[in-house]
Amino acid sequence: MIGSVSPNVINRMPKYLRCLRAAQERGEKRISSAQIAAALGTTASQVRQDLTVFGSYGSQGYGYNIALLAGEIERILGIDAPHEIAVVGVGGIGRALLEHMDFKRYHYHVTAAFDVNPALVGTTVNGVPVYHMQDFARVIGENPVDICMLTVPKSAAMEVARQAYACHVPALWNFSDEDLKLSGLDMVVQNVNFLDSLFTLTYYLEDSKITMTPAANQ
Amino acid sequence: MIGSVSPNVINRMPKYLRCLRAAQERGEKRISSAQIAAALGTTASQVRQDLTVFGSYGSQGYGYNIALLAGEIERILGIDAPHEIAVVGVGGIGRALLEHMDFKRYHYHVTAAFDVNPALVGTTVNGVPVYHMQDFARVIGENPVDICMLTVPKSAAMEVARQAYACHVPALWNFSDEDLKLSGLDMVVQNVNFLDSLFTLTYYLEDSKITMTPAANQ
DNA sequence: TAGATTGTTAATCGATTAACAATC
DNA sequence: TAGATTGTTAATCGATTAACAATC
C-alpha cells in the first residue's frame, strides 16, 4: 500500500481543511460537497471521490458535519498529533518563518534552530534557542525531531540533508533553491521553491497578455 | 488557445531550467532527455513530450544543446523579459524575500514596497522604498508593475487584491494564508501556502512510519 | 413523505509511458 | 557507416466527471 493515495488527493486535503475551518468561523455547522467545491473551484464529484478514499464522513440528504469532517481530515493528515521541528538556517527565510508561522496552533513544536553564524549562536528566535551547526548531532540526538526545516543556501542543502539522515530525522521541509531527491533513502522530502512559483506565474502572466486581447476577452 | 498547455507541463519547466543551469555550471555543453529525466526523477519520454509542446530544440543522435535549450525555456516562461514587482506587506516573509531572493538575476525589478506600519514607511529594504498603503494607487499609477507580491495577513489579502486589480496589476503572487480565487477577473494568481506544504509533508511522514516497518522496508 | 445529497460505479477525459521511424 | 537520440504516434494508465441508486 506504499504511496497508494494519489498525491493530487493529498494536496487537496489541506485546502478542504481550510475551507471547513473558514466555514466554521462563519458559524456554519454543515456543508455539502457542492459548497466545498464552489469554494475551492472544483467539482462536487471530486470532493466526494477524494473523501471516500479515506472513509465515509457524510450523510445522504444532509452533507457533512463541518467540525467532524475537519477533525477527520486533521487525523488523515496526521496534524492532530504533535510534531517536533528543527530549523537549519536562521537567515532571512528561516527567521521569518520562525517568527511568523503559527506552528503551535497545529501542534508543531520547534525545539531547536541551527546556524553557522557565531553571532546568532546562543540567541533565541521567538523562544527557540539557536545552536551552532557543529552541535547538530548532539542536540538532535538528545531531542529527536520529526521534521528538519532547511532554510540554508543551495550549496549547503545536500550536506545538511545528509546530517539529518544520519541523525534519523525522517522528514525534510526544504526551502533551499535545490530540489532534494534522496532517492532510496527512507526519508520524506517536501521541496518548496519560490523561484519556480514566480516563474510559472510569469508564464501565465505573459500568456494572459497574449490571449486577453480585447477581442479574445471572455 | 486559452490555457491550452497543461499546468503539469508548465510546473515542470522551471525544474528543467534549473537542471540545465546546474549542468552548465558543471561545464557541460550537451544533455539528453534521459539525463534530464534521471536528474529530475522522471522519464525521458515525458521530458521530450513536454518540450515538444513548445517546439523542437534537440537533434537526433545528439540530444540538446544546454545553453540553447535553457535560453528557450526562459523565453517560454517569459523570464527573459524584465518584470516589475511591488511588495505589499514588509513584515517577516515579505522582508525576508525582499532581502534574500536574487530577483535581479532573472530580470525582476522590485520598484516599491507597501505597509500600513508607520514605522516602516519611508525606510528602504534592500534598496526598495517602503510607502504607506494609502499611497498604493498613486505610486502604482505612476510606476505600473506586472506582479504584486502579497505578504500580508489573511484578513488583508482580499482587500489588497481588490486594490491591485483596480490599479490594473495583472498578476498576484500570494503568500497570505488564504487562497485567492478571483474567478472571472482577468488577473492571474499564484498561491503559495506554507502550511499546506507542511501538512502534506506530515501526511507522508506519518504514512512512512506505517509502511516503513522493518519487514515492509524496501 | 419529498427533497436533498451522499457513496459508488461507469464513462470520459487527459496525462504518462512505450515504441519506433527519422535522422543527426 | 553505426550508434545514439530525437520527435511523434500509439498504447496504457490514472484521474476527473457524470450518473444514479441508496438513504438520510
Side-chain angles (χ1 to χ4, degrees):
Chain A
M1 295 287 275
I2 293 175
S4 55
V5 180
S6 157
N8 291 1
V9 175
I10 304 302
N11 289 335
R12 282 191 293 264
M13 298 311 280
K15 312 228 173 259
Y16 295 143
L17 180 58
R18 271 192 289 139
C19 168
L20 293 168
R21 290 303 183 201
Q24 209 168 26
E25 275 172 31
R26 290 193 301 270
E28 297 163 25
K29 298 284 181 227
R30 53 175 280 203
I31 199 167
S32 69
S33 56
Q35 288 174 297
I36 297 173
L40 277 269
T42 179
T43 64
S45 243
Q46 182 166 79
V47 173
R48 293 203 302 278
Q49 282 279 26
D50 284 356
L51 294 176
T52 48
V53 168
F54 300 103
S56 298
Y57 308 114
S59 307
Q60 287 101 324
Y62 175 84
Y64 302 89
N65 176 295
I66 290 175
L68 189 145
L69 181 57
E72 287 295 336
I73 293 179
E74 292 188 344
R75 194 188 50 71
I76 290 163
L77 289 169
I79 61 178
D80 56 332
H83 290 97
E84 273 73 47
I85 300 183
V87 177
V88 180
V90 193
I93 304 292
R95 174 175 294 266
L97 291 178
L98 258 175
E99 287 175 343
H100 286 82
M101 282 194 66
D102 195 358
F103 287 110
K104 277 173 195 153
R105 180 170 165 192
Y106 298 98
H107 313 108
Y108 294 98
H109 180 43
V110 184
T111 59
F114 298 89
D115 208 294
V116 291
N117 182 350
L120 295 173
V121 173
T123 66
T124 66
V125 176
N126 204 6
V128 178
V130 181
Y131 302 95
H132 195 280
M133 197 55 208
Q134 286 170 345
D135 299 320
F136 184 83
R138 179 181 61 76
V139 173
I140 298 302
E142 290 167 3
N143 283 82
V145 298
D146 301 290
I147 297 166
C148 183
M149 179 174 133
L150 254 72
T151 42
V152 296
K154 184 166 123 175
S155 53
M158 196 59 216
E159 173 54 23
V160 176
R162 251 185 236 111
Q163 289 189 55
Y165 181 73
C167 294
H168 310 291
V169 179
L172 286 182
W173 194 21
N174 175 36
F175 288 80
S176 81
D177 262 348
E178 177 158 81
D179 279 12
L180 295 172
K181 295 257 304 319
L182 311 182
S183 44
L185 306 190
D186 50 345
M187 197 172 199
V188 297
V189 185
Q190 188 81 9
N191 294 299
V192 181
N193 194 297
F194 301 120
L195 269 183
D196 282 10
S197 135
L198 180 57
F199 289 175
T200 56
L201 176 63
T202 303
Y203 171 83
Y204 289 112
L205 167 64
E206 294 300 324
D207 196 48
S208 73
K209 282 189 193 166
I210 296 162
T211 55
M212 293 284 180
T213 55
N217 227 328
Q218 47 174 346
Chain B
M1 294 285 275
I2 294 175
S4 56
V5 179
S6 156
N8 291 0
V9 174
I10 304 301
N11 288 336
R12 282 190 293 264
M13 298 308 282
K15 312 225 174 260
Y16 295 143
L17 180 59
R18 272 192 286 137
C19 167
L20 293 168
R21 291 302 183 203
Q24 208 168 27
E25 275 172 30
R26 289 192 302 270
E28 296 163 26
K29 298 283 180 229
R30 52 175 282 201
I31 198 166
S32 69
S33 57
Q35 288 174 297
I36 297 173
L40 276 271
T42 179
T43 64
S45 241
Q46 182 165 81
V47 174
R48 294 203 301 279
Q49 282 278 29
D50 284 355
L51 294 177
T52 49
V53 168
F54 301 101
S56 298
Y57 308 115
S59 307
Q60 288 102 324
Y62 175 85
Y64 301 89
N65 176 294
I66 290 174
L68 190 145
L69 181 57
E72 287 294 337
I73 293 178
E74 291 188 345
R75 195 188 49 73
I76 290 163
L77 289 170
I79 61 177
D80 56 333
H83 290 97
E84 274 71 49
I85 299 183
V87 176
V88 180
V90 194
I93 304 290
R95 175 175 294 267
L97 291 178
L98 258 176
E99 288 175 343
H100 286 83
M101 280 194 67
D102 195 357
F103 288 109
K104 279 173 195 155
R105 181 171 164 191
Y106 298 98
H107 312 108
Y108 295 97
H109 181 44
V110 184
T111 59
F114 299 88
D115 208 293
V116 290
N117 181 351
L120 295 173
V121 174
T123 66
T124 66
V125 176
N126 204 7
V128 178
V130 180
Y131 302 94
H132 195 282
M133 197 54 206
Q134 286 170 345
D135 299 320
F136 184 81
R138 181 182 60 77
V139 173
I140 298 302
E142 290 168 4
N143 284 82
V145 298
D146 301 290
I147 297 167
C148 184
M149 178 174 134
L150 254 72
T151 43
V152 295
K154 184 165 123 175
S155 52
M158 197 58 215
E159 173 53 25
V160 176
R162 251 185 235 112
Q163 290 189 55
Y165 181 73
C167 294
H168 311 289
V169 179
L172 287 182
W173 193 21
N174 175 37
F175 287 80
S176 81
D177 262 350
E178 179 159 78
D179 280 11
L180 295 172
K181 296 257 301 323
L182 311 182
S183 44
L185 306 191
D186 50 345
M187 198 173 199
V188 297
V189 184
Q190 187 81 10
N191 294 299
V192 181
N193 194 298
F194 300 121
L195 269 184
D196 283 10
S197 135
L198 180 57
F199 289 175
T200 55
L201 177 62
T202 303
Y203 172 84
Y204 289 113
L205 167 64
E206 294 300 324
D207 196 49
S208 73
K209 282 188 192 166
I210 295 161
T211 55
M212 293 284 179
T213 55
N217 228 326
Q218 46 176 349

